[in-house]
Amino acid sequence: MNWLNDNVNLLGLLGAAAIIIITVFVVGKYIKQIKNEKSTGELVGEDWDGIGEYKNPLPIGWSLSFIGTMVWVLWYFLIGYPLGGYSQIGEYNEEVAAYNTKFESKWANPDEQTLLGMGEGVFLVQCAPCHGVTGDGINGKAADMSRWGTELAIVDTIVKGSKGMGYPLGDMPAGMLDKESATAVAAYVFEKIAKAGKSKNSDLVATGEALWPTCAACHGQDGKGMSGSSPNISNYGKPEFVVDVLNHGKKGDIGTMPSFNDGRLTDIQKLAVGKYVNSLIE
Amino acid sequence: MFHWLEKNPFFFAVAVFVVIAYAGIVTILPDFMNSARPVVGTKPYTVLQLAGRHAYIKDSCNACHSQLIRPFKSETDRYGMYSLSGEYAYDRPFLWGSKRTGPDLMRVGNYRTTDWHENHMLDPISVVPGSIMPKYTHMFSNPANIETAYAEAFTIKKVFNVPYDKADMPKLGTYEEATKMALAEAKPIVEDMKSPEVKAAFARGEIKEIVAIIAYLNSLK
């Protein structure tokens, strides 16, 4: 290995040589001065056992930087670091504010694909521990997201009841209708109330409409939940419906879902989760 | 005074220490006193929660799970509001932990529920694919140690003036009262659970460790 081929090595060696030469020169100068020169100057008055002291004024530059340091210390102590503005929490707040500004400007007008991607990310972190990575509810440990949002799930809800959303009108008891009527109502709700597309049992829509008053008693004629007294089912199968569940949480028969309105998710993230959950419906 | 100090090297050393540490003493200590006070809303643990906390310590949950959320956006996004020192006022000992093999549990009560904990303790992989947490099935058969938990609560009430039995604070009362309250507190948790073993034991008036630890985890908010 040729040490001198490397530029950094070469520079380092040159620097070392320069330091040695300068050191030898400077030390030599001072040694010579100690040997040959006699000190001169004006003595101050005192004399301690034959030892005196020259009048030796401070260099201007040194005095200025000394005074400057004292001024800086006062500033630092009172206004700068310890007693003044800095705090860890302040730092945190700045970090959050900067992040939120960036988040809002970056995702101000997200397209469908972006929302789905964002929703998937949030779902995997916040929802997957209970609903499973694929959203299948892990063998009945939580709601099955592929069934949720379909007519079948409406039938389930009518037959088994629904509880724990915390609406003023309270829980929905099980067995409001038998399975056949429930299927008809589900078709009606799916097609006419939620306007979620063509029902699989389109022929039952008229029957369902006739049975609708049972539901309308709480959910309102238009299914909108009578201004917050009960869940708005007119947006069933839409992202907004997911957002509603996220905001309320649910203490159902399978288990308890905590609400997500403690600031952990922003509105746009909730909507994104809604979009993603809707994309899981089979 | 100075003359005396010069003749007593030990006290001189003490005096030197006080002089050097003076700035720290006047700025740091009062702040410690302030921030160590319980945050509004912080309450001592109930007996059932304490029993769960004992199980938590006994099984070394704190070896893998921390209970301290630092003030960084990346942490608060995942675990919730950062921790304040006053929130640990009734933690003896605190369970900050030093390593996160598993996630932080400081506010796990906000985003996990009884049924989830039950599934997770029985078989962690069933709810968290790829989890390396072992199964804690013995918690479903071990009884919760209510007696020791009561003894601890009683002791800290007497010795450290922990505000049990004060207005808006958990009641402690006598051992008999405390056992009754623990049973009452365990009831809704057992109702939310599925394990027939735990339910049968509760019907006989026994509280299993799993119920106590779920009560504890649900109280972490």
Side-chain angles (χ1 to χ4, degrees):
Chain A
M1 182 176 175
N2 194 343
W3 287 84
L4 295 180
N5 271 355
D6 187 83
N7 284 342
V8 177
N9 279 349
L10 200 62
L11 278 176
L13 286 174
L14 282 177
I19 290 173
I20 292 173
I21 292 166
I22 292 171
T23 312
V24 168
F25 176 75
V26 171
V27 170
K29 176 179 174 270
Y30 279 117
I31 289 179
K32 213 165 112 191
Q33 209 172 336
I34 292 168
K35 275 186 183 162
N36 302 334
E37 286 189 14
K38 287 241 177 280
S39 49
T40 52
E42 196 185 336
L43 284 165
V44 291
E46 290 90 352
D47 181 359
W48 296 284
D49 298 340
I51 300 170
E53 186 189 349
Y54 289 121
K55 276 189 178 163
N56 217 356
L58 293 170
I60 296 283
W62 191 91
S63 327
L64 284 182
S65 49
F66 183 65
I67 293 168
T69 317
M70 291 201 287
V71 173
W72 180 82
V73 159
L74 284 176
W75 170 85
Y76 186 68
F77 194 63
L78 298 174
I79 302 160
Y81 174 65
L83 302 177
Y86 183 85
S87 84
Q88 203 181 8
I89 300 308
E91 184 107 324
Y92 167 78
N93 290 339
E94 276 171 28
E95 184 191 1
V96 171
Y99 178 87
N100 288 345
T101 324
K102 199 177 149 207
F103 185 93
E104 269 161 36
S105 66
K106 193 169 178 188
W107 308 115
N109 296 300
D111 58 28
E112 203 74 354
Q113 219 45 42
T114 317
L115 273 180
L116 271 179
M118 184 192 288
E120 183 176 11
V122 177
F123 186 89
L124 288 177
V125 174
Q126 306 281 7
C127 317
C130 296
H131 291 285
V133 177
T134 54
D136 62 353
I138 324 180
N139 302 327
K141 289 191 177 72
D144 180 349
M145 286 331 204
S146 61
R147 189 178 168 90
W148 186 93
T150 62
E151 282 179 65
L152 287 176
I154 306 182
V155 177
D156 284 353
T157 310
I158 299 174
V159 174
K160 294 180 186 162
S162 171
K163 62 177 190 177
M165 291 274 282
Y167 277 100
L169 278 176
D171 299 337
M172 171 165 158
M176 293 287 284
L177 296 169
D178 59 40
K179 192 151 187 193
E180 255 168 73
S181 328
T183 313
V185 171
Y188 173 71
V189 169
F190 196 76
E191 198 169 311
K192 299 289 179 202
I193 299 291
K195 299 187 181 67
K198 193 99 177 116
S199 163
K200 283 177 193 139
N201 304 309
S202 279
D203 49 324
L204 292 176
V205 169
T207 327
E209 187 169 11
L211 290 163
W212 173 245
T214 321
C215 315
C218 289
H219 290 289
Q221 193 53 40
D222 52 3
K224 289 202 169 127
M226 310 207 287
S227 13
S229 314
S230 70
N232 176 0
I233 52 171
S234 73
N235 52 22
Y236 183 76
K238 299 196 182 70
E240 290 73 20
F241 198 73
V242 181
V243 174
D244 192 36
V245 180
L246 284 173
N247 283 335
H248 278 88
K250 191 171 190 321
K251 189 165 173 16
D253 287 314
I254 326 178
T256 311
M257 167 165 161
S259 73
F260 283 81
N261 55 359
D262 57 354
R264 236 176 313 155
L265 298 182
T266 63
D267 288 345
I268 190 109
Q269 280 174 320
K270 285 179 191 164
L271 190 68
V273 173
K275 291 256 184 212
Y276 179 71
V277 167
N278 271 26
S279 76
L280 294 174
I281 298 173
E282 277 168 3
Chain B
M1 173 74 182
F2 289 115
H3 207 67
W4 179 82
L5 278 179
E6 278 175 357
K7 284 188 212 154
N8 293 279
F10 173 75
F11 292 103
F12 190 82
V14 172
V16 166
F17 177 78
V18 170
V19 169
I20 292 174
Y22 185 74
I25 292 171
V26 297
T27 55
I28 298 172
L29 284 190
D31 191 49
F32 271 175
M33 304 256 290
N34 254 335
S35 54
R37 296 225 167 85
V39 172
V40 175
T42 307
K43 290 178 181 178
Y45 295 106
T46 64
V47 170
L48 185 67
Q49 289 161 4
L50 264 185
R53 206 176 123 86
H54 288 167
Y56 186 95
I57 295 170
K58 187 178 74 180
D59 282 326
S60 269
C61 302
N62 56 315
C64 291
H65 293 282
S66 58
Q67 285 191 21
L68 188 139
I69 304 166
R70 294 170 290 179
F72 303 131
K73 175 96 171 88
S74 52
E75 298 237 330
T76 52
D77 268 3
R78 186 166 175 202
Y79 301 125
M81 159 85 174
Y82 51 80
S83 313
L84 303 169
S85 53
E87 290 179 283
Y88 301 100
Y90 302 119
D91 273 15
R92 289 169 210 272
F94 62 79
L95 297 170
W96 296 343
S98 56
K99 188 167 176 289
R100 281 186 189 154
T101 304
D104 189 277
L105 299 181
M106 174 89 191
R107 302 190 198 285
V108 70
N110 284 335
Y111 48 90
R112 294 287 185 272
T113 48
T114 303
D115 51 295
W116 189 88
H117 285 304
E118 184 185 8
N119 292 326
H120 187 241
M121 293 292 187
L122 267 178
D123 186 9
I125 296 175
S126 75
V127 280
V128 186
S131 170
I132 58 165
M133 179 164 142
K135 296 174 183 179
Y136 282 87
T137 40
H138 61 270
M139 285 184 176
F140 290 77
S141 43
N142 283 1
N145 195 337
I146 300 293
E147 205 173 347
T148 306
Y150 178 80
E152 179 182 329
F154 186 78
T155 311
I156 57 178
K157 181 190 170 190
K158 288 283 172 214
V159 179
F160 299 121
N161 278 327
V162 170
Y164 284 108
D165 295 323
K166 301 258 165 72
D168 288 333
M169 290 292 172
K171 283 200 88 61
L172 189 61
T174 64
Y175 179 58
E176 283 68 33
E177 286 168 340
T179 332
K180 256 185 219 144
M181 277 184 291
L183 280 169
E185 199 187 334
K187 196 164 183 271
I189 297 173
V190 174
E191 277 167 5
D192 281 353
M193 289 179 68
K194 293 185 189 73
S195 160
E197 193 188 354
V198 171
K199 280 182 191 286
F202 188 74
R204 292 194 303 271
E206 285 170 36
I207 302 174
K208 293 296 183 193
E209 228 169 29
I210 185 76
V211 180
I213 199 163
I214 290 178
Y216 171 61
L217 292 172
N218 284 347
S219 79
L220 296 176
K221 285 188 172 171

